[in-house]
Amino acid sequence: MNEVLVRSGGLYTTVQDAGRDGYYAIGMPPSGAMDRYSFVAANMLVGNPDSAAALEATYLGPELEFTDPRTVAVTGARARVTVNGDPVPQWTSLRVAPGDVLGFGALSAGARPYVAVSGGIDVPEYLNSRSTYKLTGIGGFEGRALAEGDRLPLGGLQAPPRDGLSVPEEFLPEFPEVVQLRLVVGLCSYRLTERSLESFLETTWKVTKDADRIGYRLRGGTIEFVEREQPFGAGSDPANVVDLGYPIGSVQIPGGNEPIILLNDAVTGGGYATVGTVVSADRDRVAQTGTGGHVRFTPVDVDTAVQARLDRETRLSKLRAVLGR
Amino acid sequence: MSTMNAQLPGVFYRRPTPDHAPFVEVGGKVEPGQTIALIEVMKTYNEVKADRSGTVSRILLDDGDEVEAGQGIVEVDEV
């Protein structure tokens, strides 16, 4: 029986893989694990391909019962993790036997733990991905978050189990009080007054309760738009522009003082001015910043953004070598 | 006396809807599993359940207050 039984779904746990790339033009966001680094590390620990589907939890982890021998690993947010009630380390491969129960206590840092299981979560692919896109109910496990009683299919084992394999300290993420997010300014930053753009970059923003896989709404500063004559095709709000494609990670400020960072499940285009885009590597940090957390934006150029992405992949390659995967 | 903490960050509510009485009042008894508050986050209202029995001696937050994970929400005298 290649299944894992969901005894509790936690707050919001979904099946995610490396994402549903290639369909942005038809309005389909990529979904996928929001913290790519933690997601890939979890897969490495259990001997899966980097892109194998795993579980992404939010704030409250799930409770999972295994029905066959597997290797599991929990990465991402710092949490109290247990097997059969006994504390177990994170960022470490763990052997589980039929009947063993993986559970979570409260998080002490970060927002999203990842659970990888050897063999991967074998839900059907939709448009070449197992990622859940809950807004439209596609992909993942029935297009939704996990609930008590669900039976998740697991894939066949591809690598021999390795118990006790552990990610060294220097490869663990940090969870600072104020999270620095590198931002490429544009595409519509011209809509902000010069002073307002400066203050946007100098403000420490607080993450509101409206922060999920679609977007993060922030609070903490004020925004002033440049006065203009409403262009043909744009809405009447000062934040409106003629519709454009929204970069993933882009920051818009629809009608007011609350910027929204658009994330993996966001709408792909629309008519709000995007004043900047969080570099892709730093979306990992966004994923681990929860409601009540603080972020600041640091302006960088596109070359720096591309380098940040390469640096993350280099770090994962080094980790792979250390783990012998 | 002991404190029950929020497991989630979000916005705290003492009552199921604005028109209803609070789930618990100071002096009231709670049992494990009893709903004592709601925390709104990610567009859902999540029930906060008591994890022990006792008498509520203090309620540390008010309707609409922001709450962090791990923050104390009610104090109870355990029986």
Side-chain angles (χ1 to χ4, degrees):
Chain A
M1 192 165 60
N2 301 322
E3 284 180 332
V4 56
L5 310 179
V6 178
R7 295 181 21 155
S8 158
L11 179 66
Y12 185 90
T13 305
T14 53
V15 177
Q16 300 293 343
D17 63 11
R20 186 172 287 107
D21 282 331
Y23 301 95
Y24 212 67
I26 62 162
M28 176 75 73
S31 303
M34 282 176 62
D35 175 355
R36 172 172 162 76
Y37 182 83
S38 296
F39 161 77
V40 172
N43 272 328
M44 282 182 192
L45 284 166
V46 302
N48 285 345
D50 284 1
S51 59
L55 300 179
E56 178 185 278
T58 318
Y59 303 131
L60 290 182
E63 193 177 49
L64 307 169
E65 180 181 336
F66 296 91
T67 62
D68 61 356
R70 295 277 166 177
T71 307
V72 301
V74 180
T75 64
R78 218 176 279 155
R80 198 181 115 83
V81 182
T82 57
V83 172
N84 303 327
D86 298 324
V88 292
Q90 285 182 266
W91 300 86
T92 297
S93 57
L94 308 163
R95 289 288 289 155
V96 291
D100 281 351
V101 176
L102 180 78
F104 282 84
L107 302 190
S108 55
R112 291 183 167 79
Y114 288 82
V115 182
V117 183
S118 57
I121 311 296
D122 194 24
V123 293
E125 287 194 348
Y126 181 84
L127 295 178
N128 309 319
S129 168
R130 294 186 169 86
S131 288
T132 311
Y133 179 31
K134 193 185 167 219
L135 217 50
T136 56
I138 61 143
F141 186 84
E142 299 178 0
R144 59 173 171 80
L146 301 186
E148 184 185 341
D150 288 346
R151 305 169 80 93
L152 290 176
L154 296 179
L157 297 176
Q158 290 155 353
R162 284 185 62 182
D163 195 17
L165 195 62
S166 208
V167 173
E169 183 90 30
E170 65 266 31
F171 285 94
L172 299 183
E174 289 171 356
F175 301 100
E177 280 291 301
V178 178
V179 178
Q180 302 286 339
L181 301 175
R182 287 165 288 186
L183 180 93
V184 177
V185 173
L187 303 162
C188 310
S189 47
Y190 62 85
R191 289 294 305 122
L192 298 186
T193 63
E194 202 173 317
R195 210 179 49 154
S196 188
L197 182 59
E198 270 171 35
S199 101
F200 170 78
L201 296 170
E202 283 163 9
T203 299
T204 299
W205 298 93
K206 187 173 184 184
V207 179
T208 67
K209 67 180 167 57
D210 300 313
D212 57 19
R213 291 182 45 85
I214 300 166
Y216 272 41
R217 187 181 281 266
L218 311 175
R219 200 159 50 215
T222 53
I223 300 295
E224 282 169 24
F225 289 92
V226 175
E227 291 207 18
R228 57 100 193 262
E229 219 169 282
Q230 182 184 346
F232 178 78
S236 57
D237 190 283
N240 284 140
V241 291
V242 177
D243 282 15
L244 75 159
Y246 292 150
I248 301 162
S250 61
V251 180
Q252 56 178 234
I253 308 160
N257 293 315
E258 297 188 351
I260 298 172
I261 312 174
L262 297 183
L263 296 168
N264 300 45
D265 287 1
V267 62
T268 57
Y272 284 111
T274 65
V275 300
T277 302
V278 176
V279 310
S280 61
D282 288 357
R283 291 209 306 272
D284 292 5
R285 299 183 193 171
V286 177
Q288 296 302 352
T289 308
T291 290
H294 293 89
V295 300
R296 278 181 75 102
F297 298 103
T298 312
V300 296
D301 59 19
V302 171
D303 289 343
T304 307
V306 171
Q307 189 57 48
R309 183 186 295 192
L310 291 173
D311 289 347
R312 178 180 55 182
E313 295 313 305
T314 304
R315 194 163 178 231
L316 282 168
S317 300
K318 284 184 184 157
L319 177 60
R320 189 188 323 280
V322 167
L323 296 177
R325 290 295 185 191
Chain B
M1 204 263 318
S2 64
T3 306
M4 288 195 252
N5 299 325
Q7 299 283 302
L8 294 172
V11 175
F12 178 89
Y13 296 101
R14 289 187 57 200
R15 53 196 93 228
T17 75
D19 305 332
H20 276 76
F23 290 108
V24 288
E25 296 280 13
V26 171
K29 300 251 189 297
V30 292
E31 295 295 332
Q34 183 183 334
T35 300
I36 57 170
L38 297 177
I39 293 179
E40 181 194 6
V41 71
M42 299 199 301
K43 302 188 183 86
T44 58
Y45 291 88
N46 305 281
E47 293 184 345
V48 180
K49 310 265 193 198
D51 58 1
R52 68 202 83 162
S53 58
T55 305
V56 176
S57 56
R58 238 177 112 199
I59 297 167
L60 304 171
L61 292 170
D62 215 341
D63 281 333
D65 284 354
E66 290 186 1
V67 59
E68 292 178 17
Q71 187 177 343
I73 52 178
V74 295
E75 288 178 359
V76 292
D77 291 317
E78 288 178 63
V79 283

